[in-house]
Amino acid sequence: MPFFEKNATVSVVSSRANGRVKQLRAAFAGQARLSEGMVAIEGDHLLDEALRSGMVLKTVFVSERREVPKSVPRGVEVLRLTDEVFASAVETRSPQGVAALMVPPVAAMDDVLRGTPLILIAAGLQDPGNLGTLVRSAEAFGATGVVVTPGTVSAWNQKALRASVGSVFRMPVVSATAEEIAGLKARGVRLLATVGFEDGETVAAQEMDFSTACALMIGNEGAGLAAEWMEMADARVTIPCPGPVESLNAAIAGSLLLYEASRQRSGR
C-alpha cells in the first residue's frame, strides 16, 4: 500500500473490499486478529487527541467530501474513500468523514505503580460508557492507572474510547488476573472494595485514608463486586447518600471516590 504526502493527490477508493478498508472495519468491530492489532478512531477530536498524545498512526481515512486534516503528519498513509465506502467502514450514523488506524499503547503493571499509586480496578464492568468515563476521571484526578479484569469490556471499545474523550491514549490501562491483583498487596497497595451500603465493616469515603498506596475496586453495574474481590479487599468504602437511592452508577461512584482521593492527596 503506497504512502502519500498529506497534500498529495490521492485516488478515491470505491471498493468495500479494499484491504485497508477491511482492516478499518475489523478494528471498529474489535476483531484484533483481522485488524492486525490496530485500533480504530473516528472524528476530528479523537484524531487530534491521539496525535497530541503521541500515538502512532498507521493509516488515515478521509471521505471524498472533505480535506485531509492539517494535523496529519507527513509520511502517514492517507486513503480517500467514497462517502459510501467510508460509511460502510465506520460505526457512527453521521460520520465526520475522518478516521484512522493506530497502534494502541501497551502498558504493564509497573506503569500503574509509579509514585504513590492510586489505581482504579474495573472488576467486571460491562458498560463501555462507564469504563470510558472512569478512565477519563482517573486522568482528571491524578490516578496512576486503570486495571481491568477478565470479563470487563475493552477500553478500546468504540463507546469506551469516545467516553474517555482521549484519556485512554494517556492513562495506562492494564489487563490483570485475580492473582496479579492480589499480588498488589505484597507491593504495599491496599485493595479497597467499593460498596453501595453501610454496615459495621464499611468506611465512609470521607473517613477513608486515600493518601497511601491504594486501589479502588469497582464492580459490575448490576451485581457489584464478586465474592472473590470482596474476600481479597483490605477494607470496604462507600459513599453516604442522604437521598432515597440504593446505589450510584458505577462511573459516578468511581469518579467521586477518585475525587476524594485527589482532594486528600492535594492537601497532604
Side-chain angles (χ1 to χ4, degrees):
M1 198 56 86
F3 283 75
F4 302 95
E5 294 294 346
K6 62 181 177 179
N7 296 320
T9 300
V10 183
S11 59
V12 178
V13 175
S14 59
S15 172
R16 296 188 181 193
N18 175 275
R20 279 284 188 262
V21 172
K22 291 170 70 175
Q23 190 177 13
L24 179 66
R25 191 178 295 117
F28 273 118
Q31 300 170 330
R33 182 180 63 83
L34 294 178
S35 68
E36 299 179 10
M38 295 291 107
V39 166
I41 56 176
E42 181 186 358
D44 292 280
H45 181 73
L46 279 180
L47 179 65
D48 289 343
E49 283 293 301
L51 290 169
R52 184 170 71 87
S53 304
M55 299 295 99
V56 178
L57 299 185
K58 176 69 173 179
T59 307
V60 172
F61 303 81
V62 292
S63 66
E64 58 186 332
R65 62 183 168 82
R66 61 165 296 170
E67 297 298 320
V68 178
K70 294 181 179 180
S71 58
V72 177
R74 293 185 181 277
V76 173
E77 180 183 44
V78 175
L79 290 182
R80 187 176 295 283
L81 313 180
T82 64
D83 289 345
E84 179 187 9
V85 171
F86 188 93
S88 76
V90 301
E91 283 204 334
T92 55
R93 294 184 178 180
S94 301
Q96 297 180 35
V98 62
L101 283 170
M102 56 162 274
V103 180
V106 178
M109 191 65 83
D110 284 345
D111 295 319
V112 307
L113 289 170
R114 63 188 188 279
T116 303
L118 173 59
I119 304 167
L120 186 132
I121 299 175
L125 283 180
Q126 295 294 300
D127 187 291
N130 280 339
L131 182 61
T133 298
L134 285 168
V135 171
R136 187 181 187 190
S137 293
E139 182 180 35
F141 297 125
T144 53
V146 174
V147 174
V148 296
T149 70
T152 296
V153 66
S154 170
W156 297 107
N157 172 286
Q158 288 302 304
K159 291 182 179 179
L161 209 164
R162 289 193 292 271
S164 81
V165 199
S167 289
V168 71
F169 300 139
R170 299 176 293 273
M171 174 60 46
V173 179
V174 181
S175 297
T177 64
E179 291 75 17
E180 290 171 321
I181 290 174
L184 291 173
K185 300 170 76 167
R187 304 181 73 168
V189 178
R190 289 181 304 138
L191 300 183
L192 306 179
T194 61
V195 296
F197 56 88
E198 293 189 64
D199 60 28
E201 299 179 352
T202 304
V203 180
Q206 62 270 31
E207 298 173 1
M208 177 64 73
D209 181 9
F210 294 108
S211 64
T212 59
C214 59
L216 295 166
M217 298 191 291
I218 305 291
N220 178 271
E221 290 86 352
L225 285 167
E228 66 173 324
W229 306 115
M230 296 297 291
E231 294 170 3
M232 193 183 297
D234 296 299
R236 299 180 183 185
V237 60
T238 191
I239 301 169
C241 297
V245 296
E246 292 183 2
S247 62
L248 295 172
N249 167 274
I252 292 175
S255 298
L256 288 173
L257 291 169
L258 287 168
Y259 167 76
E260 175 61 22
S262 174
R263 186 192 67 79
Q264 291 186 17
R265 290 175 175 224
S266 64
R268 186 170 52 180

